[in-house]
Every structure is written in structure tokens, then in C-alpha cells.
């Protein structure tokens, strides 16, 4: 008994939940310390903490960025489990009559999560950059190291640390979903069209992966985290956002695309926590509904509209520095009638079976479908003349071109793109060993069906025109183009229906499914540690089908004597902000609108050549692809005083299998116009010798280590080393083989192509400022091996040449792993709320981040070494000025993307007598652009908030490509959406 009496008393436990008193949100990563000791804990995603304490009195301190610290005294008895919930607040809230979660709270949560993370990541809450109807991509573009293609709040592609999105992965709650571009087999890594902000709580950019993460993202991961009912204190919350949107495209009134205000945005969110089956607050439900109509207006202009960049000029031997432009054009994209909405639904449920067991289900559904009366489409005006000296008048210069024998093509295209997708995941989270270990089992399934049910092309043509292009005193994208001779190009009577027309449909459905098991054990000791082990399998499958139907016009003659195309003109349109035209465009084909030449199918027939093209092109890109990835990983972390270390390794096995038609080509199966349609169809089918399937298998071992050292209470230094891969696009892995008998060349896929592999290094220092803010600086380096590019070689002799002895001596073009690359750069980041200022000025804040990178590629004897890798953005910059106070939340934000190298190519200088001999070499660069956005919110009371947004205030071009050749920067192609507006109200119940 005496021995027992002298035994050390068992510890007690202090537990509880930490919340924001003003907003009701739970606070993840809040720091709980025991004064006078080294004991500390971080709250989990539910805001819960647990501390093991010896019996007796203790003082607990609670801290969170942007909120006032709080101290709590407790008395713990041996073996007792004491619960103490804490609600933190801030004196800054006194400036607001009503508090609604916004920029300040989002920044605080983001900074705290970044600060406590083991690896390099950037986090942003959904509300951090504007209204709930903002797109995911529009949020991402504000984050350090991120650049985008897109404007007006709509984003098509994202570049992390300057790298294209082929090097990135898009995740939802840590898992990839099935995505598709709709036209061909793709890697399915990133597509924002099916992702809605209505279901999201926050986004994060993970730039340095840990071993428990997928290896397939050298640039980084974009993880979208969905809403949970337990993200806030229990209680019902219904949020409804309704608004309108419209755009100013700066186009002439003759353009049929009008984006009028209507009820464009409805975003309904329901969240509640229920007590069921005898439990208390044990079932959390979040349901979301979002209907959104985006700005689909795009303006295009430049010579690349009418001719490829390398064939757009004629250069005379007598004037080698005066390239004469032989082509120009402009385009308009939008929807005749109405823009079509996207629909997104979400339902998440968390059921706490016991205090230690949670079962969860997450589901999303999205649909983009044309609504009645809407005709998504585009129109293009193309002006060309052949690149021969006889077609340019003497005295023509680069700035003043006088051309003759020109052709005008007017293109009218119905462009329907529709998609439907669904994702379902579920699992169980089990706490073990007195809540010191967590077992997670998760399964997921997603599918996507993206298609183009109608892509109908129709053309009108006029020949024999003379024209002048005058750049003198004009902006780059608005040279004067005037007709100087030939039939009037504004008169429909002078045009003919071009005999060729195509009715096209695409589909590329995709499917993903998989599962994972994780076990993490935490150890409470002098040096706190944890170990995590896991297994994962992911499967991806996609098919691509394309149907092209070629037709020849067979209707009434379209000559000046018969009125030309007058009966079928739908629009007399001035292009590119009214600079060019008006041009008489044919009515949209297959729309059934007044003047549709396709309304009478008797106007069209299929010739023998059309039948061959239909058969051949419809099989040409049909393919299927499947991929299975099996992974195992282990990692451990430990804290030695000021130093935190996480290290581990991941092993992945990848199996791929691709299928397509194997093609042959010779004189017996080419297009023969004199054959019967049946015989020509048979000739087309003879190009395809069976359905071929090939695949490969490879393994990757991906170790990594991450260190965080606390220099001072508010200063951290980080160092990370990780290894990752980027898998080839499935298109490159297909067993394609395209022979050309005439030129004796082969174009081939490479099923054995290996992924890029990269060693990634990050070093950074961050200073966390009082209130809400941080200043950080970092450097990064990526050493990429197995870089692949197109490579040409000669097929060897012998039966073992890979083609059964065929094609000996032919030239083969194929992607191969033949090089290496280096990407290095710096990242600077600053954000701060100016809480140190007095009174009114305390509400101001600012943020700015800058990324700079350098690249180098070494492709050996193929092309040598280069400092330019295509589509890598060397400079990106974000900045914003914010104000929050007295009910107002104001943001002025800028996103800058610097000039970057797109590609290099070559071509001739023209044809015929007088042409400059030799080969023209040129580079294509996209020039810098800056997008300015303004956002305003005003909180009327606790229930209602008004908002208004303006995107692309200065109407900058989103894309603006220039050719660098002849010692000049020559405008090639520009596109932009104009300026768009959103306004509405958010109500909370």
C-alpha cells in the first residue's frame, strides 16, 4: 500500500474548443501554451485542443493572429478530463457596427496555417479576395507565385512559379477529380470549368510536397477545401447571395453578343449541426446551390487570325528588313441571345458516431449546358494574299503595306460546349490510443462528361480585293485596314458561300476512382513527435471520340447576279471595336435562325472527297487511355525545441495503357475524288489497320525533408528538399504512328516515355507582424531530369528496328527523354493590416508579392543549351490596397504577368521571283500585361451585405503575342474580354 501511495499521480487532460467570438468560426491552428512550461498544443481543424497536464493549478494562454490573447486559469485533478472552451476577440472589431467574416479573418487563418505547416504552402480563405461568386482561378491569381490566363474574373489556366499547369495538380480535399477538356485524351490535372466556389471554404497552393502527397506536380498543388458544418460553432446558418453581372466589351453595336444584366448569380448555402441518435451536436450538414452566368465575351485581333505566324509575311531580297504583312483578321466570341448558366451543387455530411469516430461523405455535381435561345458561337474576318512579290505594290513597307489579289473569308461558327460532372467521396476517421493516433480510410469516385455536341463551321468568300494596312501613328492592335480596289467587301452580293462546310462533334469522358488508408501516431514527450504511414491507389480512364462530317455547298448559285449571299446574311458586323467592316456574315449554321443556309439540307451534299474526309477524320483521333498508380509512404516529424523536422519517403508504381487506330498511308488509300463515295469510304478505312494497345510500367522513389526553425517568437526560417515528378500527357503515350509515303517520315507516340523527375529545394525566412501580417523572402531551385521534347532520328535497318523491319531510312519524329532543365527563382511576400495606426487609419491594409525565375535547358547534341524554356513566366507581381471599417470592405488589386517566351519556329520569306532567299527564324513572346480589379462591400447590418466588383478596369489584353524577328517586335495575336461588372447582395439567416 505504501508503494501505491507513493506512486506518481496520473495526469489530467485539459480539452476544449477555440472560436472567434465575433464571427462564430472555429479557429484551427490556434496556439495553446502552458505558462512556465514547454507544453503547447495546436487546435485541429475543428478548433479542438488537448493537453496532458500534471495535477494542480495551471495557466493556459491562447493566441491567434489578429485576435487579442486570452489567459485561463485551471485546476486539474489526477485523471480528470476538463473541458474549457475559449472565444477570442479583437479590439479592432469596435470599428464595425456588425462583424462579418472577411479579409482580416481570412488572412489571419491563412497566416497561422502557413506558419504552423511543415512545408512551404500559401493559403487563402474563400472570403479573402471578394464576393462569394468569384471564380476559383480569380482567387488563385492573387497568391504569391501564381499567374493566370484569363481576365474578367474568369480564368482558363494557372501557372505556379511560372510553370504551365501541366506541371501542377488540382485537388479537392486532397484528391484529384476527373476533368476533361472535351476534345482529346489529356492528363486531367487542371480544369476550372467544373469547379465552383459555392462549395469551397479555402484554397491552398502547396509548393513543397510532403511524402503523404501525390508525387505528380513539380510546380505544386492547388488544393480546394470544401465547407464543413464544424468549421463554426453549432447553429444554423443560411447564406444567400444574389447578383447580376454584365460586361463592356468595347465592341461596335453591330456585334450580336450583348451581355445584359439579369439574375446572373444565385449562391445558396445551408449549414447546421444536429443532435441525432442520442448524441449531442454530432451530425453536421452543409448543402450548397450555385447558379452562375459568366462573361463569355472575347475579342481577338491580329495577323495570326488569318495565317500562321511563320507564313504571315513576304520579304523581298531588295528590302530584307521590311517584312510585308500578307494577312490580318479579327474575331468575336460570345453567345447570340443569352449567356448560358453553370449549375453547381454540393452536399457534405460529418457524423460523429462517438467522440473518437467520425464518418463523412462529400459530394459535388456540376453542369454547364446551353439554355434555350442561346447560341454560343464566334465570327472571324480573315484577309489574306499570297506571299509573292507580284501581290505587293512598289514602295510597300512594314508600316505601310499596299497589297492586291487578296481574299476575304468570313467564318460563322456555332460552338456548343457542354459538361456534366459528379464527385463522391467518403470515409471514416478513427481516433485511437487515447486520441494520440488517427486512422483514416477514404474512398473517392468522380466522372466527367465534357463534349462539343455542335461545332458547325460555315464560310463566305470574296476574291480579287486590294487593300492597304497602315500602322503609322496607330496602336499595335488597331492598324488601319482599308480596301483600295476590287469588289466592295461590305456588300453581300459580292460574296459566295464557300463550298466546304463541317459539322463536328467531340466528346472525351473521364473517370477517376481510388482510395487511401493513413495511420498517424503522435507521441507526447520532451521532444514531441509523430509517425504517419499510408497506402493509396488511384485509377484514371478516358476515351476520346470525334465525328467530323464534311459537306459541299449545292444550293442556289451565289454570284453578284443572284445577290451573292444576301439571303443568308445574319449580321453586318464591324470587328475589333468597330475598326474594320462592316462585313456580311452568314447566319450561324444549324441554329435555325432567320437566314440559316443549313435549315435546308438540300443546300448541301457529300462528294466522294467529303466521304473520304468524313471517314478518315472521324477515326483519326479516337483513343482511350488508362492509368493506375499504387503508392506507399511513410513520414515522421519531431520537434527539438525551436527546430521542427519532417522527413520521409514515398514510392509510386505507375501503369499506363493507351489505345488508338494504327495508321498507314500509301497511294492506294488516299483521297481519290474520281472514285465513287462507297469506294472512297473504303479507301479511307484502309488507312487504319486495327485498334492497337500498348502500355508501360515504371517506379519512382520520392524522398523529402522539411525543416522549420524558430529564430524569434515571430520569425521563422524554413528549408525544404522534396522530389516529385510530372507525368507525360496521355496523348504522348498513345501508340500512334502516322506515316507519310511522299516524304518518307513517321510521326509516332512513345508509350515508354518516362515522367519528368525533379529535386526541389526551398529556403525562406518569414517575419510575422503584430496584428495580421507577414514579410517573407525565399529562394527555390528545381533540378529537372528526363526532360522530354520532340526529337528526330533515322529508322535503322533490320527486323528489330521497332517496326518489324519496315520504314528503314525514314525520318521519325517522337517525344523522347533526352534532356534536363533548371528552374530557380526568388519569392517575396508582404501583407499587413495597419492596426498600429490610430482611429480611422487602422482599417487600412496592403499586400504585395513578387516572383522572379530563371530557366535553363540542356538537350545535349539535339539542340544544345538554352536559357529559354517555353511558356515559363519569369516575373509575376500582385499588389493590393484594402480598407475595412465602418461597414466598408474595399479592395483595389493588381495582377501583373511579365513577358515570357512562347515558342520558336522557322519558315520561308515567301515564294517566287524577288523573294529573300533562305529561312526565316523567329521567336514568339507574350508581352506583359496588368489587370486592375476593384471590389467594394458594405455591411448594412448583421443580415445584409451589398457588393460590387469591377474586373479589368483598364481593358488590358489578356493575351498579346508578338513575333521577335527582323529586329522588330511585330504584333501577332491579342485577345481580351473587356471590362466586366458584378453587383449584388448577400444575406445571412
Amino acid at each position: 500500500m505504501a508503494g501505491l501511495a507513493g506512486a506518481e499521480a496520473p495526469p489530467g487532460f485539459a480539452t476544449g474548443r477555440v472560436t472567434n467570438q465575433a464571427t462564430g468560426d472555429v479557429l484551427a491552428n490556434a496556439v495553446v501554451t502552458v505558462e512556465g512550461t514547454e507544453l503547447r498544443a495546436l487546435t485541429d481543424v475543428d478548433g479542438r485542443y488537448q493537453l496532458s497536464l500534471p495535477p494542480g493549478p495551471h495557466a493556459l494562454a491562447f493566441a491567434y493572429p489578429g485576435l487579442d490573447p486570452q489567459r485561463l486559469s485551471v485546476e486539474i485533478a489526477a485523471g480528470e478530463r476538463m473541458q474549457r472552451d475559449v472565444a477570442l476577440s479583437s479590439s479592432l472589431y469596435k470599428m464595425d457596427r456588425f462583424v462579418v467574416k472577411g479579409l482580416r479573418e481570412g488572412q489571419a487563418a491563412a497566416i497561422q496555417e502557413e506558419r504552423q505547416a511543415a512545408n512551404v504552402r500559401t493559403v487563402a480563405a474563400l472570403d479573402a479576395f471578394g464576393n462569394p461568386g468569384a471564380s476559383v482561378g480569380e482567387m488563385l491569381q492573387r497568391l504569391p507565385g501564381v499567374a493566370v490566363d484569363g481576365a474578367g474574373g474568369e480564368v482558363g489556366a494557372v501557372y505556379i512559379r511560372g510553370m504551365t499547369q501541366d506541371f501542377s495538380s488540382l485537388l479537392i480535399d486532397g484528391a484529384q477529380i476527373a476533368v476533361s477538356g472535351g476534345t482529346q485524351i489529356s492528363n486531367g490535372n487542371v480544369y476550372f470549368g467544373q469547379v465552383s466556389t459555392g462549395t469551397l471554404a479555402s484554397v491552398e497552393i502547396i509548393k513543397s510536397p510532403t511524402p503523404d502527397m501525390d508525387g505528380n506536380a513539380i510546380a505544386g498543388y492547388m488544393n480546394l477545401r470544401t465547407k464543413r458544418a464544424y468549421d463554426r460553432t453549432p447553429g444554423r446558418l443560411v447564406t444567400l447571395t444574389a447578383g447580376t453581372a454584365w460586361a463592356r466589351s468595347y465592341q461596335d453595336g453591330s456585334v450580336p453578343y450583348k451581355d445584359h444584366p439579369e439574375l446572373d448569380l444565385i449562391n445558396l448555402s445551408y449549414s447546421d449541426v444536429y443532435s441525432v441518435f442520442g448524441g449531442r451536436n454530432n451530425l453536421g450538414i452543409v448543402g450548397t446551390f450555385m447558379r452562375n452566368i459568366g462573361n463569355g465575351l472575347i475579342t481577338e485581333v491580329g495577323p495570326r487570325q488569318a495565317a500562321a505566324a511563320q507564313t504571315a509575311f513576304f520579304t523581298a531580297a531588295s528590302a530584307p528588313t521590311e517584312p510585308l504583312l500578307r494577312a490580318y483578321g479579327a474575331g468575336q466570341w460570345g453567345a447570340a441571345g443569352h449567356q448560358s448558366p453553370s449549375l453547381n451543387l454540393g452536399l457534405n455530411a460529418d457524423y460523429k458516431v462517438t467522440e473518437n469516430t467520425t464518418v463523412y461523405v462529400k459530394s459535388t455535381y456540376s453542369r454547364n449546358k446551353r439554355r434555350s435561345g442561346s447560341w454560343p458561337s464566334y465570327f472571324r474576318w480573315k484577309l489574306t494574299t499570297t506571299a509573292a512579290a507580284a501581290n505587293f505594290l512598289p514602295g510597300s513597307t512594314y508600316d505601310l503595306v499596299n497589297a492586291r489579289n487578296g481574299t476575304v473569308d468570313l467564318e460563322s461558327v456555332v460552338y456548343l460546349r457542354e459538361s456534366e460532372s459528379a464527385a463522391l467521396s467518403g470515409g471514416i476517421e478513427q481516433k485511437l490510443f487515447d486520441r494520440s493516433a488517427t486512422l483514416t480510410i477514404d474512398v473517392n469516385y468522380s466522372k466527367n462528361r465534357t463534349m462539343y455536341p455542335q461545332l458547325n463551321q460555315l464560310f463566305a468568300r470574296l476574291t480579287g480585293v486590294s487593300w492597304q494596312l497602315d500602322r503609322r501613328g496607330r496602336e499595335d492592335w488597331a492598324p488601319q485596314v482599308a480596301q483600295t480596289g476590287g469588289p466592295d467587301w461590305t456588300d453581300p452580293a459580292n460574296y459566295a458561300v464557300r463550298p466546304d462546310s463541317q459539322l463536328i462533334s467531340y466528346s472525351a469522358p473521364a473517370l477517376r476512382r481510388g482510395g487511401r488508408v493513413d495511420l498517424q501516431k503522435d507521441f507526447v514527450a520532451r521532444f514531441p513527435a509523430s509517425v504517419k504511414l499510408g497506402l493509396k491507389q488511384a485509377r484514371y480512364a478516358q476515351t476520346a471520340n470525334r465525328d467530323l462530317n464534311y459537306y459541299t455547298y449545292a444550293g442556289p448559285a451565289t454570284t453578284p447576279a443572284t445577290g451573292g449571299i444576301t439571303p443568308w446574311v445574319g449580321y453586318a458586323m464591324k470587328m475589333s471595336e468597330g475598326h474594320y467592316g462592316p462585313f456580311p456574315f452568314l447566319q450561324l449554321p444549324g441554329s435555325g435562325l432567320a437566314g440559316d443556309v443549313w435549315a435546308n439540307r438540300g443546300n448541301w451534299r457529300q462528294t466522294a472527297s467529303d466521304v473520304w474526309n468524313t471517314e478518315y477524320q472521324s477515326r483519326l483521333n479516337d483513343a482511350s487511355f488508362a492509368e493506375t498508380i499504387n503508392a506507399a509512404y511513410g513520414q515522421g516529424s519531431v520537434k527539438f525545441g525551436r527546430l521542427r523536422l519532417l522527413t520521409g519517403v514515398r514510392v509510386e508504381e505507375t501503369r499506363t495503357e493507351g489505345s488508338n487506330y494504327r495508321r498507314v498511308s500509301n497511294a492506294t488509300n488516299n483521297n481519290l475524288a474520281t472514285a465513287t463515295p462507297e469506294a472512297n469510304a473504303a479507301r479511307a478505312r484502309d488507312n487504319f489497320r486495327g485498334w492497337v494497345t500498348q502500355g508501360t510500367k515504371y517506379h519512382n522513389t520520392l524522398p523529402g525533408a522539411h525543416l522549420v526553425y524558430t529564430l524569434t517568437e515571430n520569425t521563422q526560417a524554413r528549408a525544404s528538399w522534396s522530389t516529385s515528378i510530372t507525368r507525360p500527357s496521355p496523348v504522348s503515350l498513345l501508340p500512334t504512328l502516322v506515316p507519310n509515303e511522299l516524304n518518307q517520315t513517321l510521326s509516332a507516340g512513345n508509350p515508354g516515355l518516362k515522367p519528368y523527375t525533379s529535386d526541389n529545394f526551398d529556403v525562406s525566412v518569414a517575419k510575422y507582424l503584430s496584428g495580421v501580417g507577414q514579410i517573407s523572402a525565399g529562394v527555390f531551385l528545381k533540378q529537372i531530369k528526363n526532360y522530354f521534347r520532340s526529337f528526330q532520328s533515322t529508322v535503322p535497318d533490320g527486323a528489330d528496328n521497332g517496326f518489324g523491319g519496315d520504314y528503314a531510312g525514314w525520318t521519325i519524329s517522337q517525344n523522347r527523354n533526352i534532356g534536363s532543365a533548371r528552374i530557380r527563382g526568388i519569392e517575396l511576400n508582404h501583407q499587413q493590416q495597419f492596426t498600429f495606426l490610430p482611429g480611422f487609419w487602422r482599417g487600412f491594409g496592403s499586400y504585395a508579392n513578387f516572383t522572379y525565375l530563371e530557366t535553363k535547358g540542356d538537350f545535349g547534341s539535339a539542340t544544345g543549351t538554352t536559357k529559354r524554356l517555353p511558356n515559363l513566366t519569369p516575373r509575376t507581381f500582385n499588389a493590393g490596397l484594402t480598407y475595412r471599417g465602418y461597414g466598408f470592405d474595399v479592395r483595389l488589386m493588381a495582377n501583373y504577368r511579365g513577358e515570357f517566351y512562347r515558342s520558336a519556329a522557322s519558315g520561308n520569306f515567301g515564294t517566287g521571283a524577288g523573294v529573300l532567299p533562305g529561312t526565316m527564324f523567329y521567336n514568339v513572346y507574350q508581352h506583359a500585361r496588368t489587370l486592375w480589379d476593384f471590389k467594394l462591400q458594405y455591411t448594412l447590418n448583421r443580415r445584409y451585405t451589398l457588393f460590387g466588383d469591377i474586373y479589368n478596369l483598364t481593358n488590358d489584353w489578356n493575351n498579346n503575342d508578338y513575333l521577335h524577328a527582323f529586329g522588330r517586335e511585330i504584333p501577332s495575336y491579342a485577345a481580351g474580354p473587356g471590362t466586366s461588372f458584378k453587383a449584388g447582395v448577400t444575406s445571412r439567416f
Side-chain angles (χ1 to χ4, degrees), residues 725-768:
I725 63 175
T726 286
R727 295 185 175 89
S729 169
V731 170
S732 298
L733 297 175
L734 295 175
T736 54
L737 182 65
V738 185
N740 186 309
E741 290 277 352
L742 180 62
N743 297 322
Q744 293 199 331
T745 60
L746 293 172
S747 177
N750 186 355
L753 197 64
K754 296 297 189 289
Y756 297 127
T757 60
S758 178
D759 285 294
N760 313 302
F761 303 90
D762 286 86
V763 177
S764 63
V765 177
K767 169 71 173 179
Y768 299 96

Side-chain angles (χ1 to χ4, degrees), residues 228-230 232 235-238 269-273 285-287:
R228 299 171 62 251
Y230 290 113
R232 59 185 312 277
R236 180 174 301 167
L237 177 64
V238 179
S269 175
Y270 173 89
S271 174
D272 204 353
V273 176
I285 300 290
V286 172

Side-chain angles (χ1 to χ4, degrees), residues 172 175-179 188 194 364 420-425 443-449 509-514 539-541:
I172 295 184
Q176 279 191 280
I177 60 172
V179 298
Q194 71 184 69
T364 61
E420 187 174 34
S421 63
L424 177 66
S425 66
V443 294
N444 60 81
Y445 173 88
S446 62
K447 64 179 182 179
N448 175 283
R449 184 171 180 265
L511 174 70
R512 281 193 186 275
R513 64 184 187 273
R539 296 187 175 188
Y540 174 68

Side-chain angles (χ1 to χ4, degrees), residues 93-147:
Y93 288 137
K94 295 177 182 179
M95 295 177 60
D96 285 316
R97 295 173 297 161
F98 312 101
V99 177
V100 177
K101 181 181 177 182
L103 174 66
R104 177 182 171 81
E105 291 72 28
Q107 284 186 338
I111 289 173
Q112 186 67 354
E113 182 172 351
E114 293 170 18
R115 184 174 183 175
Q116 302 303 329
N119 56 343
V120 180
R121 65 178 64 194
T122 303
V123 184
L126 179 69
D127 301 334
F129 296 107
N131 75 70
S135 72
V136 176
E138 192 268 327
M139 294 174 58
L140 291 172
Q141 75 175 357
R142 313 292 177 190
L143 303 181
V146 177

Side-chain angles (χ1 to χ4, degrees), residues 276-356:
V276 299
F277 305 121
R280 177 175 174 77
N281 295 330
N282 59 343
L283 176 63
I285 300 290
V286 172
T288 59
F289 168 91
M290 185 171 180
R291 178 184 181 272
N292 187 44
I293 301 176
N295 170 23
L297 305 183
I298 298 175
T299 297
E300 302 174 306
V301 66
R304 205 175 77 195
Q305 283 291 95
Q310 65 266 35
T311 63
F313 300 93
F314 171 81
T315 308
S318 59
T321 62
E322 294 290 337
L324 305 181
L325 196 64
R326 70 167 195 90
Y328 207 77
Q332 299 290 154
W333 293 64
H338 301 279
Q339 301 283 346
S340 294
S342 62
L343 173 67
N344 293 271
L345 306 174
L347 180 63
N348 289 358
D350 294 88
Y351 174 52
K352 295 187 177 181
V353 182
T354 68
E355 184 66 22
N356 294 322

Side-chain angles (χ1 to χ4, degrees), residues 483-514:
Q483 184 175 9
T484 57
D488 182 0
W489 64 26
T490 69
D491 187 352
N494 294 322
Y495 286 81
V497 175
R498 214 172 81 181
D500 56 314
S501 182
Q502 299 175 30
L503 305 183
I504 306 171
S505 65
Y506 296 96
S507 67
L511 174 70
R512 281 193 186 275
R513 64 184 187 273

